[in-house]
Each structure stands twice: as structure tokens, then as C-alpha cells.
Amino acid sequence: MEQVSRAVFFLVSVILMLLAGGLMAYAVYSVWTALQAPEGAMDTALLDVIGYLIIAIAVFDVAKYLLEEEVDRGQERRRASEVRKSLTKFMSTMVIAVFLEALVVIFKVARDDVNLLLYPTALIVAGTGMMLGLGLFQRLSASVEQDVEAGTVDDDPDDRKSDTPRRRRSKPALP
């Protein structure tokens, strides 16, 4: 079953990378057609291209994450610090993409109708929530890592019946 799962993740990753490449190609095509247009609405076209590229980067990063975490490593056991670093890298890219998209939409909407600024404002609030959630995750997972290193939490997954860490009895300090 593990091989089927890896094959599916590989296929999905390749499809996502191809779609991200298609978005990048379409962005280049959009700039080319804007340059050919007689009235030269280049500013709008460039903002659209930035939006396409931001989405392409986010989609590509999702595909890369799936390849690295699900295809390459599979069911391999990892330390909590490796998982935290990998997830942090992935979420950081997503947060940056959300903030950049909000910035692009602000520039687009501010020209046409200021009343439409609710959507980019919601994106900024969502990005801030994602960043705060990532910070909380970092804080909590770092404290668990410290407990594991200090020996106060059992980190052996074969010894436990559930997913929750088991506290060890404190050993008396030696004089």
C-alpha cells in the first residue's frame, strides 16, 4: 500500500509542477500580448503577471513539499525537529504568497473601486492569522523538543499506544 501511496503523491506532485509551469508560461504570454497591444495597458498586465507568478510559486512549493515529504521520505521516522523545520518552511512560503497576493489585489482594487478593499483586507487578516498560528506551532513544538532532549518526555513511538507523549518519572539529581 505504501508504494501505491507514494506513486499517487508522485503523480499529483508532477501534475502540480506542470500546472505551475503552465501558469508561469501564461504569465510570460500575458506580458507579450500586453506589449503588442496598441493602448499598452501594461500596468494592469504586470499586476496580473505578478499574481500568476505568486500562485505558481505557491503551487510549485506544495508539489515540492509532497515530493520531499511523502515520496522521498515516505513512512520513514523522523525527529520532531525535522518535521517542524519542514512544515515551517512550507507554511512560510504559503504566508508570503498570501501577503503578496493581498498586496497585488490592493493595488488593483485601489484604482478601480476603494469599496472593494474588503477582500484584500481579509487576505491580510488571514495571512496574519497564519503567521500567528505558525509562531504558536513553533513555540509549542520547540518546547516539546526541549522536553524530549531533556528526557522528560518519551520519544520512542514503539513504546506508546497513543500519539500523546508519555511523561517519565523524574530521576533524582545526583549530588
Side-chain angles (χ1 to χ4, degrees):
M1 190 64 176
E2 183 180 334
Q3 294 299 329
V4 173
S5 175
R6 284 184 173 190
V8 168
F9 278 116
F10 177 77
L11 182 64
V12 169
S13 298
V14 168
I15 291 170
L16 286 173
M17 285 183 178
L18 290 172
L19 290 172
L23 277 172
M24 288 184 233
Y26 185 73
V28 170
Y29 173 76
S30 295
V31 169
W32 179 256
T33 55
L35 287 172
Q36 304 301 319
E39 60 272 355
M42 193 63 163
D43 55 347
T44 304
L46 289 178
L47 285 175
D48 288 342
V49 166
I50 291 171
Y52 291 139
L53 292 177
I54 291 168
I55 293 169
I57 289 170
V59 169
F60 187 83
D61 195 54
V62 168
K64 184 179 82 146
Y65 179 81
L66 289 176
L67 272 178
E68 290 174 350
E69 299 301 318
E70 298 298 333
V71 177
D72 287 346
R73 295 183 192 237
Q75 297 296 323
E76 175 184 315
R77 294 178 197 248
R78 293 173 288 201
R79 292 190 325 248
S81 62
E82 291 175 357
V83 173
R84 181 179 55 82
K85 287 176 185 174
S86 174
L87 190 59
T88 299
K89 218 167 77 172
F90 173 73
M91 282 303 297
S92 296
T93 303
M94 295 300 116
V95 169
I96 290 168
V98 167
F99 280 129
L100 287 174
E101 183 64 22
L103 188 62
V104 168
V105 174
I106 285 172
F107 286 131
K108 280 180 162 181
V109 169
R111 282 193 216 154
D112 299 333
D113 187 5
V114 179
N115 294 326
L116 297 176
L117 283 175
L118 183 62
Y119 171 68
T121 303
L123 272 176
I124 290 173
V125 169
T128 303
M130 289 170 64
M131 193 172 359
L132 291 172
L134 181 59
L136 180 64
F137 168 76
Q138 284 280 10
R139 175 75 174 138
L140 293 175
S141 62
S143 65
V144 168
E145 286 173 31
Q146 288 173 351
D147 288 348
V148 168
E149 289 173 6
T152 58
V153 174
D154 189 4
D155 191 35
D156 188 5
D158 293 331
D159 285 349
R160 57 186 138 146
K161 303 271 188 239
S162 69
D163 289 339
T164 57
R166 186 176 57 195
R167 297 271 175 198
R168 292 184 184 166
R169 286 187 207 162
S170 301
K171 296 180 183 176
L174 297 175

